[in-house]
Amino acid sequence: MADEGNKVVDALRETGFFKPKKMYDGGKVIVGIIILFALVAFPFLYNVGKAAKAPEPEIDTPAIKKLSKAERVCVEPRPYMKVNHMKLLTDWRDQVVRQAKRDYVGFTKKTYTMSLQNTCLECHSNYDNFCNRCHTYSGITPHCWTCHVNKPKEWAAGKLKEEK
Amino acid sequence: MGFNLACYFSLFAVIVLVLVPFVGAAAGWHVIFGIVIPYLAGFIFLAGLIYRIVKWARTPVPYRIPTTCGQNRSLPWIRRSLRDKLENPENTIHVIGRMALEVLFFRSLFRNLRTELRPWREYPEGGRLLYWSTKWLWIGAIAFHYSFLVVLSRHLKFFTEPVPFFVPFVESVDSFFQIYVPAVYMSGIVLLAALIYLLVRRIADPKLHYLSLAADYFPLFLILGIGISGVLMRYFFKVDIVAVKQLAVALVTFHPTVPEGIGVIFYIHLFLVSTLLAYFPSSKLVHMAGIFFSMTRNMAGNNRAIRHINPWEYPVRVFSYMDQENMFRKQMKAAGIPLEKDTEE
Ligand code: HEM
């Protein structure tokens, strides 16, 4: 039996079965490979010639400039804020809305009123050059601004009425 | 329900794959886990897939395989509906239609049947053989593949600067219900649910359990590991996304850097993804490319209209009657068999 099998294999080998020379339907296969390559290479090609620059949120708002050098810090340490500010915000919201607590003690023992518009955006009044710098870079669109206002001063002055 | 060695082995392998970057990133080998391994994995993925494709394309297919589930093209007065044309295509356009249904909607899987002997009152001595359509596997597969696609397309936000227009759109649809902060993406949850279903299916069904190999469990555990680490990273153990994006953009612009302060969980996620990429071409997952080489799907059933030549060997070597007579003339003559050509040479 093994011999019979070997004979078949030998015969196939003679016909060149094990040594295929070309691709069948080569044109279509190459189109397929090009599509695969284009899909994989998309992020590479998309970024060609662009320098990868990290966003630089600006912290030179009037409210922050008024603070003394030593006080020029956020509610929590900067590395924590960078990564966890959205957690902090929901924590604030839950405390305000569900427990009617409005005072928050920061890491410097300073007390803040827990409010998105009146505290965060008081210091960071430059929404477009601060929050949005990072968010646009990271492709994030927080859905808070259907209810809250991200430019409270302009809103209060009636400048934003027409804008969405 | 029960585990077998293949299942334990795969689970154990994925646990080791989680521990490697856990230890490595803690030891400060960020360059290895953030740059070297991802590049290597990406290269193996692309080169391996192309190697596979070229190898498949060079394998001769001896004959057409007609499918018999639709009316083949024959006499002009025999009606063929669109369904027949897609089931039994006669030309490339119909083949593309059949292929698209297969790739986009998993049509063959949709026709999945279940065969079972059921106790039946009219057949008291045995059961009645029943066939019925089961869509569970199809639903699980569709849910898994499409959620994977959506998750992957959303990940483009890490690799592109500026982010292309469709990514925020996909994100806003995906986080439609605006639950939790950061907003929960449905696709991530569906991905995990579908993976758990596909895994439980293999473990809970004794027949499937018997059939399943480590090569079946490992990809499921691996992708589950990727999904779980991703979900943990997004909702619980936050990492610095701006730094992650710097790393990712640096990778695709070939200016690799590793920014400081990305949490270990990111390196676990990335290492599992790298493993998946490197494993892909030599695993069953390569059906991503293989489906296009599926002979019962990619060939027109036009055997009766067009002559197809077996590419193995043409012209075919034949041994005709005259060859036989030439070879055995002497013996045939001795036995008194009539000959076509009675020459004495
Ligand atoms: C096979 C490919 C991958 C799969 C299946 C996958 C899967 C996931 C999933 C399910 C999540 C949870 C959040 C969501 O639903 O989007 C996630 C998050 C994440 N993934 Fe991946 N991932 C993959 C590749 C990558 C790669 C290559 C990177 C490297 C940049 C990466 C970085 C991240 C990060 C940073 C997060 C957290 C996202 C956030 O906080 O918004 N992933 N991933």
Side-chain angles (χ1 to χ4, degrees):
Chain A
M1 271 313 280
D3 272 4
E4 287 297 309
N6 284 342
K7 264 186 210 154
V8 172
V9 171
D10 285 344
L12 279 174
R13 184 172 291 131
E14 237 172 72
T15 67
F17 181 60
F18 297 112
K19 267 190 268 157
K21 298 246 160 26
K22 59 167 180 123
M23 295 200 288
Y24 298 93
D25 282 328
K28 287 177 199 157
V29 173
I30 285 168
V31 169
I33 292 178
I34 289 172
I35 291 173
L36 170 75
F37 192 81
L39 285 177
V40 173
F42 172 74
F44 292 87
L45 301 175
Y46 186 87
N47 288 309
V48 156
K50 288 180 197 154
K53 265 217 329 237
E56 285 158 13
E58 288 172 11
I59 42 169
D60 57 351
T61 58
I64 292 179
K65 276 186 184 155
K66 251 189 273 164
L67 299 167
S68 68
K69 263 257 158 68
E71 274 188 320
R72 222 167 264 180
V73 288
C74 201
V75 181
E76 293 289 337
R78 188 173 178 189
Y80 177 87
M81 288 309 289
K82 229 177 169 172
V83 175
N84 287 306
H85 59 275
M86 61 306 268
K87 293 269 172 221
L88 184 75
L89 279 170
T90 39
D91 186 38
W92 281 19
R93 180 193 57 198
D94 292 351
Q95 292 198 35
V96 169
V97 177
R98 296 187 189 152
Q99 289 156 28
K101 275 168 62 183
R102 289 205 185 248
D103 289 340
Y104 182 84
V105 183
F107 79 117
T108 54
K109 304 284 179 257
K110 199 170 143 188
T111 304
Y112 298 91
T113 308
M114 286 190 267
S115 172
L116 175 58
Q117 288 167 214
N118 301 334
T119 309
C120 303
L121 294 173
E122 170 68 25
C123 282
H124 302 297
S125 54
N126 51 345
Y127 182 80
D128 289 334
N129 292 334
F130 183 76
C131 312
N132 234 7
R133 281 262 166 96
C134 284
H135 293 169
T136 311
Y137 177 75
S138 319
I140 292 154
T141 36
H143 59 255
C144 319
W145 317 120
T146 43
C147 302
H148 295 272
V149 191
N150 53 29
K151 289 168 192 152
K153 291 238 169 70
E154 286 92 327
W155 174 264
K159 283 191 207 148
L160 280 182
K161 289 256 161 67
E162 297 303 311
E163 217 180 283
K164 259 208 272 182
Chain B
M1 180 111 179
F3 273 42
N4 65 8
L5 192 61
C7 193
Y8 278 126
F9 176 79
S10 312
L11 180 60
F12 182 71
V14 173
I15 290 173
V16 170
L17 289 173
V18 170
L19 290 179
V20 167
F22 188 75
V23 174
W29 298 346
H30 293 166
V31 172
I32 296 188
F33 288 101
I35 297 172
V36 178
I37 292 176
Y39 270 141
L40 213 62
F43 176 77
I44 295 174
F45 174 76
L46 196 60
L49 264 185
I50 291 175
Y51 169 78
R52 276 285 191 135
I53 290 172
V54 169
K55 201 169 164 188
W56 278 323
R58 290 166 116 194
T59 308
V61 180
Y63 47 78
R64 305 244 138 194
I65 303 167
T67 46
T68 50
C69 43
Q71 171 62 49
N72 199 185
R73 184 193 160 93
S74 75
L75 297 167
W77 43 265
I78 295 182
R79 273 252 304 276
R80 287 179 85 218
S81 60
L82 180 64
R83 186 182 158 275
D84 289 320
K85 289 177 185 163
L86 290 172
E87 297 283 19
N88 206 336
E90 73 200 64
N91 57 33
T92 307
I93 291 176
H94 297 167
V95 168
I96 289 173
R98 177 165 73 179
M99 210 70 208
L101 286 176
E102 196 63 42
V103 171
L104 299 176
F105 303 109
F106 306 177
R107 190 145 181 257
S108 297
L109 206 53
F110 193 72
R111 286 194 273 225
N112 190 22
L113 285 183
R114 181 158 202 145
T115 318
E116 206 171 302
L117 268 176
R118 274 279 181 89
W120 209 261
R121 207 179 328 131
E122 284 86 46
Y123 302 79
E125 68 284 358
R128 182 179 173 186
L129 192 59
L130 283 181
Y131 303 90
W132 76 88
S133 159
T134 52
K135 303 287 183 234
W136 289 108
L137 179 58
W138 179 80
I139 290 171
I142 282 276
F144 166 71
H145 283 85
Y146 274 100
S147 54
F148 195 105
L149 180 67
V150 170
V151 168
L152 216 57
S153 68
R154 277 198 286 94
H155 273 65
L156 269 181
K157 77 175 177 196
F158 297 122
F159 292 96
T160 51
E161 172 58 30
V163 177
F165 69 95
F166 60 88
V167 174
F169 174 73
V170 173
E171 278 176 346
S172 66
V173 174
D174 206 352
S175 61
F176 179 76
F177 293 108
Q178 305 191 341
I179 305 163
Y180 201 66
V181 175
V184 171
Y185 290 132
M186 285 178 272
S187 58
I189 306 306
V190 173
L191 178 72
L192 289 189
L195 277 168
I196 288 169
Y197 164 71
L198 293 173
L199 186 63
V200 167
R201 192 183 78 98
R202 281 194 187 277
I203 293 170
D205 182 338
K207 296 189 290 304
L208 258 172
H209 189 58
Y210 179 72
L211 285 171
S212 299
L213 305 172
D216 298 312
Y217 290 113
F218 180 68
L220 285 173
F221 280 121
L222 184 63
I223 302 174
L224 207 54
I226 294 173
I228 291 173
S229 60
V231 163
L232 287 179
M233 175 161 45
R234 179 168 168 83
Y235 306 109
F236 304 104
F237 310 122
K238 308 295 304 174
V239 297
D240 186 345
I241 298 296
V242 172
V244 167
K245 177 151 184 178
Q246 274 175 282
L247 185 147
V249 170
L251 280 179
V252 296
T253 48
F254 297 109
H255 297 292
T257 52
V258 272
E260 282 297 303
I262 308 180
V264 158
I265 181 123
F266 170 73
Y267 289 102
I268 293 176
H269 190 64
L270 191 61
F271 185 68
L272 292 180
V273 172
S274 303
T275 310
L276 181 69
L277 288 180
Y279 172 66
F280 202 94
S282 52
S283 72
K284 70 173 196 175
L285 302 173
V286 75
H287 70 266
M288 178 181 99
I291 182 128
F292 296 100
F293 291 89
S294 178
M295 277 94 78
T296 58
R297 303 287 96 191
N298 71 4
M299 293 188 136
N302 52 8
N303 307 35
R304 296 194 288 187
I306 295 170
R307 180 167 177 229
H308 296 282
I309 289 165
N310 180 353
W312 290 3
E313 183 191 31
Y314 195 81
V316 181
R317 276 177 295 175
V318 291
F319 194 69
S320 67
Y321 174 73
M322 277 320 288
D323 294 334
Q324 182 190 333
E325 199 181 286
N326 290 340
M327 198 179 242
F328 299 110
R329 182 162 290 111
K330 220 186 278 171
Q331 290 87 334
M332 288 167 85
K333 194 163 181 179
I337 297 171
L339 294 166
E340 292 286 326
K341 234 158 109 194
D342 191 0
T343 48
E344 291 280 347
E345 288 139 33

